[in-house]
Amino acid sequence: MQLLSDRILNMATSATLAMAAKARELRGEGKDIIGLSLGEPDFNTPDFIKDAAIQAVNDNYNSYTPVDGYVELKEAIITKFKRDNNLTYTLPQIVVSTGAKQALANIAGVMLNKGDEVILPCPYWVSYSDIVKLNDGVPVEVATSIDTDFKMTPAQLEAAITPNTKMMWFSSPCNPSGSVYTREELRALADVLAKHPNIYIVSDEIYEHINYGQGHASIAEFDDMYDRTITVNGVSKAFAMTGWRIGFIGAPEKIARACNKLQGQITSGANCIAQRAVITALEAEPSSVKYMIDEFKIRRDLILGLLNDIEGFKSNTPDGAFYVFPDVTHYFGKTLRGKTINNATDFSLYLLEEALVATVTGEAFGNPNCIRISYAASQEQIIEAIKRIKEAVS
Ligand code: PMP
Ligand code: GLU
């Protein structure tokens, strides 16, 4: 009998994590790799949040928490949703999970049946497609390009809908393109969905605060979308808390209760100390982390300027998150230093081997023409990395 399940054998390894592991391994061999592959802030968690965690340890928070999170944390999440997003949720609509990633896995686990289609505007965050497939869903990719700032148009959404469409998943600000849907653009998508009342929406807003443009809009703000939207958020990005592993949802009560049930059999809930710390994080005004956002903006402008100087890198101007997603098709079919570049994966590997810079192929995000470069790295690292890339491709 086969040792491993078809389920795991058919699943791809997370390309972002795989590239980060590869960069770590090469560093271990003494290679001077600059890691621009992982979407992880290079800041430390702010002291006021760390202090809350230390306090929680000393206050003996060591027991299992309610499966869906401490009531005080859920109340802080409700306040946050109201304050930042003008969304009204009640306690049974909130579930705290081990990162937004688990929140997404919960949603797929409780909502998808075999053959249910999930519309994924491309490029999408790397794990969406495999989380959907793991739960017997069928990802329906909708290709976008740099010409529409990597955003799906209402006509494209309409064309992707079939009788089997169960959900649409998207992130705004988007990982990997950095694109941010305006309220008007969201309304236009909502107008299409309004004609299809059985379709649910997963709105992944984990980069909400990392926004350099006109501000954040949530699709659940629209009355006719509220009952059909699961709003996903977390603290990994804006609060530099990736390792603390706390994410959460605001959802229709039935869905939240189902996520609670699933989580009760799988994790028993998220880490108690991290949950206490996140109460403090969410109670703080978003301005408490503005120093990080300001620095990310400086780096965005820096990297865009530097990339502009390299032939064949065509970028949009991302309004959020901390990634650039240049189109590199210029290099396809070319031979550089004896290596033939056929696609974005070849190009990303070439940059790793020849420039010692780790990026991620766009193929992992459903876009074979681009690579993702994270600028959650110091300005010095960004300058050095782009200098090396420029040399490697010239
Ligand atoms: N959604 C998006 C768009 C992300 O970039 C990430 C990055 N990790 C996640 C979800 C998962 O975040 P978390 O660390 O909270 O699991
Ligand atoms: N979300 C980050 C990224 O896209 C972290 C890695 C991951 O969770 O896959 O790089």
Side-chain angles (χ1 to χ4, degrees):
M1 197 184 283
Q2 170 183 307
L3 174 64
L4 297 177
S5 66
D6 290 337
R7 191 178 305 117
I8 194 69
L9 293 175
N10 291 334
M11 194 179 88
T13 299
S14 162
T16 48
L17 300 183
M19 198 55 159
K22 175 118 190 126
R24 229 175 275 133
E25 186 190 308
L26 291 173
R27 248 182 240 122
E29 291 169 10
K31 295 216 167 96
D32 171 27
I33 304 289
I34 302 179
L36 303 183
S37 59
L38 198 59
E40 168 156 76
D42 57 328
F43 292 98
N44 288 321
T45 303
D47 285 343
F48 74 97
I49 302 173
K50 292 196 285 195
D51 290 343
I54 292 165
Q55 188 65 43
V57 173
N58 289 329
D59 288 347
N60 295 312
Y61 281 98
N62 35 234
S63 309
Y64 288 127
T65 79
V67 170
D68 52 350
Y70 285 120
V71 170
E72 296 93 319
L73 174 53
K74 291 178 41 164
E75 281 167 347
I77 291 167
I78 288 170
T79 306
K80 172 257 168 304
F81 272 133
K82 190 77 209 164
R83 178 193 64 201
D84 303 341
N85 313 111
N86 198 25
L87 296 177
T88 305
Y89 290 113
T90 56
L91 284 170
Q93 292 182 277
I94 306 293
V95 181
V96 178
S97 299
T98 303
K101 200 178 251 181
Q102 195 204 355
L104 292 161
N106 283 346
I107 296 162
V110 307
M111 293 191 70
L112 295 178
N113 282 313
K114 202 169 179 50
D116 286 347
E117 293 176 3
V118 178
I119 294 178
L120 302 179
C122 300
Y124 51 77
W125 180 48
V126 59
S127 295
Y128 289 175
S129 166
D130 277 285
I131 290 175
V132 166
K133 285 192 270 185
L134 194 61
N135 290 282
D136 290 334
V138 180
V140 175
E141 301 190 353
V142 177
T144 69
S145 75
I146 194 165
D147 303 325
T148 57
D149 191 24
F150 296 109
K151 292 178 194 168
M152 178 172 65
T153 64
Q156 284 182 303
L157 172 59
E158 183 79 67
I161 292 173
T162 77
N164 295 325
T165 306
K166 178 74 183 269
M167 313 179 83
M168 166 185 124
W169 287 25
F170 76 110
S171 62
S172 176
C174 173
N175 176 2
S177 69
S179 303
V180 178
Y181 283 87
T182 65
R183 186 164 283 104
E184 294 68 35
E185 286 164 342
L186 290 178
R187 185 60 251 176
L189 295 177
D191 286 342
V192 174
L193 294 169
K195 291 183 265 169
H196 304 273
N198 296 326
I199 300 178
Y200 281 76
I201 306 153
V202 167
S203 178
D204 181 346
E205 305 182 12
I206 195 157
Y207 294 94
E208 168 188 10
H209 295 304
I210 306 176
N211 183 317
Y212 322 111
Q214 77 289 74
H216 182 77
S218 300
I219 196 161
E221 280 173 47
F222 304 128
D223 287 343
D224 59 342
M225 295 294 119
Y226 175 82
D227 286 330
R228 309 158 53 170
T229 302
I230 300 111
T231 307
V232 178
N233 211 321
V235 291
S236 285
K237 311 295 169 173
F239 294 95
M241 294 180 75
T242 48
W244 298 67
R245 310 304 306 124
I246 300 289
F248 50 87
I249 57 166
E253 194 174 320
K254 258 194 188 161
I255 296 171
R257 284 192 193 281
C259 291
N260 187 7
K261 181 177 167 189
L262 179 64
Q263 200 163 275
Q265 291 286 25
I266 291 180
T267 65
S268 304
N271 172 284
C272 60
I273 303 302
Q275 287 194 49
R276 300 308 305 182
V278 171
I279 297 173
T280 301
L282 294 181
E283 282 176 348
E285 289 292 324
S287 57
S288 66
V289 291
K290 189 166 175 298
Y291 65 98
M292 292 191 258
I293 318 304
D294 290 345
E295 175 62 23
F296 285 136
K297 181 167 189 301
I298 292 170
R299 295 173 187 181
R300 179 201 65 168
D301 295 341
L302 173 69
I303 197 165
L304 283 177
L306 293 170
L307 284 176
N308 245 340
D309 253 10
I310 310 182
E311 194 194 7
F313 279 68
K314 215 167 73 183
S315 296
N316 63 328
T317 300
D319 272 334
F322 35 59
Y323 310 102
V324 283
F325 197 61
D327 181 307
V328 291
T329 45
H330 169 83
Y331 293 99
F332 296 180
K334 296 211 160 71
T335 300
L336 301 168
R337 298 186 185 172
K339 292 179 178 154
T340 303
I341 311 291
N342 287 316
N343 50 46
T345 304
D346 287 348
F347 192 65
S348 174
L349 272 177
Y350 177 80
L351 294 182
L352 182 65
E353 285 162 7
E354 296 296 326
L356 304 183
V357 176
T359 60
V360 186
T361 171
E363 281 179 42
F365 307 95
N367 181 316
N369 297 330
C370 301
I371 60 167
R372 189 188 78 173
I373 309 177
S374 162
Y375 54 87
S378 71
Q379 295 186 37
E380 293 72 32
Q381 283 176 310
I382 292 169
I383 292 167
E384 174 63 20
I386 306 304
K387 183 173 142 245
R388 290 190 196 174
I389 291 177
K390 189 172 180 179
E391 279 164 15
V393 299
S394 58

